Amino acid sequence: MAWHQLISKFTAESDKIGLGGGERSIERQHKKGRLTARERIGKLLDGDSFWMEVGLWAAWEMYTEWGGAPSASVICGLGRVSGRTVMIIANDATTKAGAFFPMTCKKVLRSQRIAMHCRVPLVYLVDSAGVFLPLQDEIFPDEDDFGRIFRNNAVISAMGIPQLAAIMGNCVAGGGYLPVLCDKLVMTEGSGLYLAGPALVKSAIGQEVTSEDLGGASMHASISGTIDFKEPNDDAAIERLKRLIDMLPNDTIASEFRRDESVDAGPSNSDIYEKIPIDPQSRYDVHDLISHLVDAETFQEYKSDYGQTIVCGYAKIGGYQVGIVANQRTVVKTPKEGMQFGGVIYHDSADKEARFIMDCNQTWTPIIFLQDVMGFMVGRDSEQVGIIRAGAKVVNVISNSRVPKITVITGGSYGAGNYAMCGKAFDPRLIFAWPNARYAVMGGAQAAKTILDINIAALKRAGKEPDTQELEELRAKVQDSYETSTDIRYAAARLWVDAIINPADTRDVLIQSLGIVTRHVQDEPFRTGVLQV
């Protein structure tokens, strides 16, 4: 498959996801006099604003027994409102009335975490029926479930990060705490805010009450005093939010970071498809990729002749000073070890990477990881020179890094190589992937053979000797299953990446991201744990 075919396929599928519950559900929302979540976001954003959506592919091909939950029934992303960068979290009422699925909670929590780390104000557009009851046991009780959202509301408020909420439909049960824990609360007429709806109140205590008397905008504005602003409709509520956001402090860049005048990259964006192959197994020179991303003639390679399967260096992207850590995909030759395979981390490249990351932390330089990695080198020679020790150093310094980290998966992301190149577990502020990317503990061929051998052994222990046809069917089934689980959409569905981006957009996405992640610094010195030497 060619690049343009893959991108067209992903674009068509993302457009379908963007319809949420579909055209009929959108019509029902309009008949209520309400906008959809995406329409609300579109009216809220400044006309010239970027829109960096977080978790578009969340819950992709999940919850099919319940009819699915496109984008996990909530739209999240970063953009500018009244000239300020904000994180928007908007319930999608076209999907199960905006009910919370397990991945809905995970997606909201991820968005809150990004905002907390980057000190970005949050705007909640609330229109949700609450927890999706058939899956309540997976949504309600754990530390990364529904209640954690409200805990975060309280912590974010204590951190001084602005939070604004607009109730523009349903806001019931425990979900009612979210807007009330925000700094400013807007509510539209016809919306409802209550712990229990009229039917549940009647069932629980025998009281008959209308929705408006129980939790309407007029009641909360004049009697309970819960809301700050009552507005007649969505448009008026959005205008109110814009005016309130306009009062917030201007966006800033922390003094520890540096941005100079931006210079265009050398090659054009579209040339990236000619230089970088679509097949993650193919070889290419990562310097070609770097030249598409950095400001022209700003890349300074660090230890260029040492540990060459990882390329490190200083550069500017959109004027922002950055460090770059990238997997080299060509075969390289070293004076001591001889040939080294591209995409593989050897002891010398791991040592170089660890040292480079430490230096970036010393100089407050954000780090961009370009991840296309097969894993660490294995075998007797590699073990004897201390590959585990070298890998542990990388893990240590990445884990304790105080500067912002942004990860882009441009091909394979396999095994412990994912960790060494700042995978999701190591707190990149933002993590992106190209459509051709693959996520797995090992390559498909190796994993399929291992799984097949395990299954065959299990059959033999049960006293069954599979014939040739059964073996072939089992092999095909294992291979198909593994290919599905390594698809980057599978990873994006589970929020292991924040967004799938087109390769040609990578530079622009990085510039937007750097503007967000450099707003705030970790107020502590750089330190590591024990480093094995």
Side-chain angles (χ1 to χ4, degrees), residues 42 83 124 201 244 254 290 296 347 375 384 426 465 493 503 518 531:
Y124 303 91
V201 168
L244 293 171
I290 292 171
H347 69 96
Q384 289 184 354
F426 292 84
E465 188 73 36
T518 56
L531 297 177

Side-chain angles (χ1 to χ4, degrees), residues 131-211:
V131 167
F132 186 66
L133 288 177
L135 298 175
Q136 62 84 27
D137 61 317
E138 299 178 46
I139 301 168
F140 165 65
D142 211 344
E143 64 182 1
D144 60 348
D145 284 344
F146 202 45
R148 189 73 171 191
I149 295 171
F150 314 135
R151 177 265 183 193
N152 282 354
N153 287 137
V155 171
I156 290 168
S157 182
M159 293 169 70
I161 302 170
Q163 295 179 96
L164 302 90
I167 300 171
M168 310 170 89
N170 292 315
C171 184
V172 301
Y177 288 112
L178 184 150
V180 180
L181 282 162
C182 291
D183 307 336
K184 297 177 177 66
L185 177 52
V186 180
M187 187 173 180
T188 60
E189 295 176 4
S191 296
L193 169 64
Y194 31 67
L195 289 179
L200 185 55
V201 168
K202 183 177 181 180
S203 173
I205 64 174
Q207 184 182 74
E208 292 193 15
V209 61
T210 67
S211 177

Side-chain angles (χ1 to χ4, degrees), residues 371-430:
Q371 187 182 127
D372 189 357
V373 60
M374 298 302 294
F376 283 86
M377 188 59 188
V378 297
R380 181 189 59 200
D381 294 344
S382 188
E383 297 292 356
Q384 289 184 354
V385 294
I387 187 64
I388 296 177
R389 183 178 69 241
K393 281 191 282 190
V394 174
V395 168
N396 198 320
V397 297
I398 291 178
S399 301
N400 289 291
S401 179
R402 66 178 178 175
V403 297
K405 305 182 291 288
I406 300 171
T407 300
V408 183
I409 304 171
T410 63
S413 179
Y414 294 112
N418 170 279
Y419 307 155
M421 294 299 294
C422 197
K424 181 69 181 293
F426 292 84
D427 294 329
R429 297 284 174 88
L430 293 162

Side-chain angles (χ1 to χ4, degrees), residues 287 301-312 332-337 340 348-349 352:
H287 293 93
E301 188 165 355
Y302 176 86
K303 295 185 186 292
S304 60
D305 295 327
Y306 182 75
Q308 296 177 62
T309 62
I310 289 183
V311 172
C312 301
V332 300
K333 187 174 182 179
T334 69
K336 186 175 181 181
E337 281 82 9
Q340 292 184 338
D348 53 353
S349 51
K352 178 173 78 171

Side-chain angles (χ1 to χ4, degrees), residues 280-281 329 341-344 373-378 412-415 438 440-455 475 478-479 482-483 486:
Q281 303 298 322
R329 290 306 309 235
F341 297 104
V344 178
V373 60
M374 298 302 294
F376 283 86
M377 188 59 188
V378 297
S413 179
Y414 294 112
R438 293 279 168 177
V441 73
M442 65 176 73
Q446 303 94 315
K449 184 178 185 307
T450 302
I451 296 170
L452 182 65
D453 289 345
I454 292 171
N455 287 338
R475 180 179 290 105
V478 167
Q479 185 75 36
Y482 200 79
E483 286 299 314
T486 61

Side-chain angles (χ1 to χ4, degrees), residues 32-350:
K32 296 176 185 176
R34 298 172 183 167
L35 300 170
T36 66
R38 292 190 182 276
E39 289 169 341
R40 289 166 177 165
I41 292 170
K43 290 198 171 193
L44 184 61
L45 291 171
D46 294 345
D48 61 347
S49 174
F50 67 92
W51 171 242
M52 185 185 293
E53 186 159 348
V54 174
L56 169 69
W57 296 83
W60 175 76
E61 293 197 346
M62 297 172 68
Y63 314 122
T64 53
E65 67 274 32
W66 304 105
S71 273
S73 75
V74 64
I75 315 303
C76 304
L78 293 147
R80 275 192 300 273
V81 179
S82 299
R84 277 76 172 169
T85 302
V86 299
M87 171 67 79
I88 300 173
I89 298 175
N91 301 115
D92 182 5
T94 70
T95 300
K96 303 292 189 297
F100 275 69
F101 287 76
M103 287 309 302
T104 314
C105 295
K106 304 292 189 291
K107 184 171 174 178
V108 173
L109 290 171
R110 173 59 180 163
S111 301
Q112 287 182 323
R113 193 173 303 117
I114 292 170
M116 289 170 72
H117 285 315
C118 301
R119 299 300 195 271
V120 175
L122 290 114
V123 179
Y124 303 91
L125 305 181
V126 183
D127 191 355
S128 171
V131 167
F132 186 66
L133 288 177
L135 298 175
Q136 62 84 27
D137 61 317
E138 299 178 46
I139 301 168
F140 165 65
D142 211 344
E143 64 182 1
D144 60 348
D145 284 344
F146 202 45
R148 189 73 171 191
I149 295 171
F150 314 135
R151 177 265 183 193
N152 282 354
N153 287 137
V155 171
I156 290 168
S157 182
M159 293 169 70
I161 302 170
Q163 295 179 96
L164 302 90
I167 300 171
M168 310 170 89
N170 292 315
C171 184
V172 301
Y177 288 112
L178 184 150
V180 180
L181 282 162
C182 291
D183 307 336
K184 297 177 177 66
L185 177 52
V186 180
M187 187 173 180
T188 60
E189 295 176 4
S191 296
L193 169 64
Y194 31 67
L195 289 179
L200 185 55
V201 168
K202 183 177 181 180
S203 173
I205 64 174
Q207 184 182 74
E208 292 193 15
V209 61
T210 67
S211 177
E212 182 61 35
D213 287 342
L214 187 64
S218 294
M219 188 283 288
H220 282 303
S222 62
I223 299 176
S224 78
T226 301
I227 67 171
D228 305 317
F229 301 93
K230 181 182 74 170
E231 301 296 344
N233 51 45
D234 283 10
D235 285 329
I238 289 168
E239 287 303 313
R240 176 70 70 179
L241 286 172
K242 288 182 177 181
R243 292 168 62 190
L244 293 171
I245 293 168
D246 186 52
M247 299 173 62
L248 298 178
N250 291 325
D251 286 356
T252 60
I253 180 171
S255 60
E256 287 82 353
F257 302 122
R258 177 176 159 185
R259 186 181 190 185
D260 300 328
E261 185 177 349
S262 178
V263 178
D264 290 340
S268 67
N269 287 349
S270 59
D271 289 344
I272 201 168
Y273 299 117
E274 298 176 9
K275 290 288 187 179
I276 312 301
I278 192 171
D279 182 3
Q281 303 298 322
S282 298
R283 296 176 183 175
Y284 63 90
D285 189 339
V286 78
H287 293 93
D288 290 333
L289 171 57
I290 292 171
S291 70
H292 281 85
L293 305 182
V294 304
D295 295 1
E297 299 182 3
T298 63
F299 184 64
Q300 303 179 67
E301 188 165 355
Y302 176 86
K303 295 185 186 292
S304 60
D305 295 327
Y306 182 75
Q308 296 177 62
T309 62
I310 289 183
V311 172
C312 301
Y314 309 100
K316 296 179 185 179
I317 299 179
Y320 291 99
Q321 304 278 357
V322 299
I324 293 175
V325 178
N327 298 111
Q328 177 58 280
R329 290 306 309 235
T330 62
V331 175
V332 300
K333 187 174 182 179
T334 69
K336 186 175 181 181
E337 281 82 9
M339 304 293 286
Q340 292 184 338
F341 297 104
V344 178
I345 301 175
Y346 292 78
H347 69 96
D348 53 353
S349 51

